[in-house]
Every structure is written in C-alpha cells, then in structure tokens.
Amino acid sequence: MEVFAIMFVGLIILLMLGVPVAFAMIASSALVLGYTRGFDAIPMEMISQRTLYGVNSFTLLAIPAFLLIGRLMNGAGISDRVFDIARTMVGHFKGGLGHVNVVASMLFAGMSGSAVADAGGLGALEIKAMEDDGYPTGFSAAVTASSATIGPIIPPSIPAVIYGALANASIAALFLASIIPGLIMGLGLMAMVAIISHRRGFPTRAKARLNEFMLAMTRGLLPMLTPLIIIVGILSGVFTPTEASVVALLYCLIISFMVYRSITFREFLDILRATAIDTAALLFIIAGSALYSWVLARYQVTSLVADFLLATITDPLALLLILALFILLIGLFIDSVPALFLLTPLLVPVVVQYGIDPVHFGVVMIFTLMIGLITPPVGTVLFTIQKITGMSFAGLVRETIPFYIPLFIVLLIITCFPAIVMFLPNLVLN
C-alpha cells in the first residue's frame, strides 16, 4: 500500500501544487523506484526508455490531425456555416437560439472532437448571436459551456483516441458507442433550454423557409461531410482511425484553401504553430503516463486495487456507479486529458475483472470527465467562456447549475444501461 500511496496520493498532491502533469507523473514514478530500489539506484535509462516508448504509437498520430482539423474549422469560418444550418433547423423553437447553440455544437463536434475548441471558436459566435437577439449573457454563456462538452463525446473524439490507445480498446467501437450518448446528451440540454425559455419568456423566431434551409445546407454541406468521411472510412475498412484522421485533415485543407479560400498562408502558419504546441504538450503527458502505467503494472498496484474492490463490491453496476462518482471527484480538480492518463491504466484492469466491457467503461469515463470541464474549481471550458464574456466566475457557475441536471441524468442512463452504449458497436462491428 506504500507504493499505492506514493503513486496516487503523491501524484494528486503534485498536481494540486501546480506541477505540470507530465513532470508529476514522472516524478511520482521515480519516487516509487527510488523508494523500492534506493534513491542512489534509480534506473534513469529505464525511465527515459519507458517515457519514449509511450509516444512510439501509430494510433497517437491521430491526435495532431484532429487538433489541426478543429483549428482549421475555426480559422476557415466553418463555424458560421454550421451555425446557420442549426438556425434553420431549430431556430423557430421557444428559446430558439438556445436550441441552435446545442445543435450547432452537436454538428461541430463531428469536426473538432474538442470541448475547448468548440467553446473558443463556435462558442464566441454563439454567445454574440444570442446577445444580439436579446438573450441574457449569463444564459447564453451557460448554454454555450454546457453544449461545448458534447464535442469530445460525438465522434471524432480526441479523448476516445487517447483512451483507446491507453486501454488497448477499439477506437472504432469507441466512436460508435459515443454516438447515441452524444445525441441523448444534446436532447437533454435542449429540454433544459426549453424549460428555462418558457419560464423566462424568451423569444421565438419565425420558422425558416425551405429555400433558407437549402441555402444553409449548401453553404455548409462540405464541412458537414468530414465526420461522415471518418466514420464510413473506418467502418468500411478502407482506413484505420489514424489514417481516417489524416484523410479528413487533407479534405479540410482542400475545402479551406481551394473551395472557400478563407485562410491565408500566414494564418495557416499560425494554426500550425498552435497545433504543434498543443500536440507537444499532449504527447509529453502521454510519455509521462507510459512510465506511470509501467510502474503501476511492475508493482502490481492495479492488482491490489482489484483485489480490494472484489472483496468489498460484488455487483458490477454498483462498481460502475462508485467509479463514476470517483471519476467525477477527480474531474473537479484535474483536467479531463490528464485525468484520462491517470485513471485509465489504474481502473481498466479492474473493470475487466468484473466483466464490464472496456468500451462501455470508456464512454462512461469520458462522459463523466466532460462534466468536470464545466464544474469549479478547474473547469477549463468555464474559464474559456468567462474569458469570452467577461462574466464573473461565480456568476457563470450559477447560470450553469441547471444544465448539470440533464448531464447527470444522461450519465446515470448510460452507466446503468450498457445496451444503449453498446448498441451501435454490436450492430455494426458484431
């Protein structure tokens, strides 16, 4: 148990002290090796080998491709076209632009795979449009923050790629398993928008005419094909998820430069630079997590955790509910991506022993961590929206509280009813 305390509690303490995630993982792993072997005999060569081994993965090449796709979509003005499509679809509902906000996020999720990219790009457009239409800034910000969490759920999903690589789970199955939860999530948020809109008497727009809808679809059709290329290409066996990300990236480059001509070469260099920085940060965390996972396995920490849980909890559903609560607590204090690296190698071997499908558990874990993106004190999406609106953090959290209700209901549904999550993977992939 001393090893577990150093590995887990020590890591949490380092993270709460503000130590960067990769350094915290490497440091806690080195502490364990020093504690067990002697601090004068820490195997530095092994540490370097294990960290480098963590990023030597073909699957991980999908991460920079998806990051670049999200930034290209924002830079090329694709978010405007997606927003117009959503406006013609649901803008006539009560509280119309609130529904447009959610639907636009669902559509944009199929292109970016990132909640922060959604909030920072499409979110700024959504908030301005809602404010111009007379909606309060607080409500506009709360809807935008909540709907941005759909981004990493509906495929393609950067967290799903990371989880699949760490858990050795099928990324194609994870993509398929996330579709229905993402749609239910969007419907739940729209239901809350409708309730609040009726209570506050928000305006209703005239229903879009058919020619307006067709015009919006024509303008936004090409970018809307991006997720279709990814999903169909993977399921048909034409290319792997990693190859799909590169094909989708090439497609986005073509429509951005040759069709819409909405990005200059200088802007493209800035996008490449920002993507390179994001990729380097993520891969450094992956390298640190590889060493961390190896030390967990080397000292059988996961076996100790599994033995303890097996002796105290016998029902798989009870375990899933407890783990969901535990993941939610972790997500309050640690961002979603570092939390994935921390929890996946620790918990996946445990749930497998209970007969829980790692794909189902992956969707539950990712969904739970997305709720953490809009909960204080570390909610990165909240801080992104706060920067856009200039609202106080407390005021933004207060406006967001009602939207926790549908998210927790959906989390309970997908946790208790795995058939909902696994329906499409079982149907398509057998």
Side-chain angles (χ1 to χ4, degrees), residues 154-426:
I154 294 178
S157 164
I158 294 173
V161 173
I162 295 172
Y163 174 86
L166 293 174
N168 197 25
S170 166
I171 295 176
L174 285 165
F175 280 2
L176 286 171
S178 301
I179 293 175
I180 293 178
L183 295 176
I184 299 174
M185 183 182 184
L187 292 174
L189 292 174
M190 290 178 70
M192 183 54 65
V193 167
I195 293 171
I196 296 175
S197 298
H198 278 88
R199 287 183 176 179
R200 299 188 185 182
F202 289 152
T204 302
R205 282 175 164 268
K207 188 174 182 178
R209 296 188 298 272
L210 180 61
N211 64 326
E212 293 174 329
F213 174 72
M214 294 304 297
L215 177 62
M217 285 298 297
T218 301
R219 292 184 67 247
L221 177 63
L222 292 179
M224 295 290 293
L225 293 177
T226 306
L228 194 63
I229 292 172
I230 295 171
I231 299 298
V232 173
I234 293 173
L235 297 182
S236 63
V238 175
F239 33 69
T240 66
T242 303
E243 293 164 346
S245 67
V246 177
V247 171
L249 173 58
L250 290 174
Y251 176 75
C252 291
L253 287 170
I254 291 171
I255 63 175
S256 298
F257 280 99
M258 301 177 66
V259 180
Y260 297 143
R261 300 180 181 179
S262 51
I263 294 181
T264 65
F265 185 70
R266 182 177 295 275
E267 290 171 339
F268 181 60
L269 289 179
D270 291 337
I271 290 172
L272 285 178
R273 187 179 300 111
T275 303
I277 293 171
D278 292 343
T279 302
L282 270 177
L283 291 181
F284 191 24
I285 296 172
I286 292 172
S289 71
L291 174 65
Y292 188 83
S293 302
W294 177 80
V295 175
L296 282 176
R298 173 70 177 79
Y299 291 97
Q300 299 181 328
V301 175
T302 53
S303 298
L304 292 174
V305 174
D307 291 342
F308 171 76
L309 291 173
L310 286 167
T312 54
I313 303 171
T314 57
D315 183 37
L317 178 57
L319 175 75
L320 267 179
L321 292 171
I322 292 171
L323 290 182
L325 179 60
F326 173 67
I327 294 166
L328 184 63
L329 291 174
I330 294 294
L332 293 178
F333 301 99
I334 304 177
D335 196 26
S336 59
V337 172
L340 271 177
F341 291 115
L342 168 65
L343 298 174
T344 303
L346 182 66
L347 298 181
V348 169
V350 175
V351 299
V352 168
Q353 291 197 41
Y354 276 81
I356 298 169
D357 194 306
V359 171
H360 174 222
F361 179 68
V363 174
V364 172
M365 177 187 283
I366 293 169
F367 192 101
T368 307
L369 290 174
M370 291 310 105
I371 297 176
L373 294 178
I374 56 170
T375 52
V378 188
T380 50
V381 168
L382 288 180
F383 284 111
T384 303
I385 297 298
Q386 182 194 23
K387 185 178 179 181
I388 293 171
T389 61
M391 290 182 65
S392 70
F393 188 75
L396 178 56
V397 171
R398 185 168 55 251
E399 289 283 350
T400 308
I401 287 174
F403 293 95
Y404 295 154
I405 298 173
L407 294 180
F408 282 123
I409 291 174
V410 176
L411 175 60
L412 194 62
I413 291 172
I414 65 173
T415 303
C416 296
F417 302 99
I420 294 175
V421 177
M422 298 305 297
F423 174 74
L424 287 179
N426 291 336

Side-chain angles (χ1 to χ4, degrees), residues 10 19 49 51 72 83 88-89 110 115 119 133 141 168 175 183 189 292 405:
V19 178
Q49 289 171 358
T51 51
L72 274 174
F83 189 79
T88 60
M89 290 173 63
D133 218 40
N168 197 25
F175 280 2
L183 295 176
L189 292 174
Y292 188 83
I405 298 173

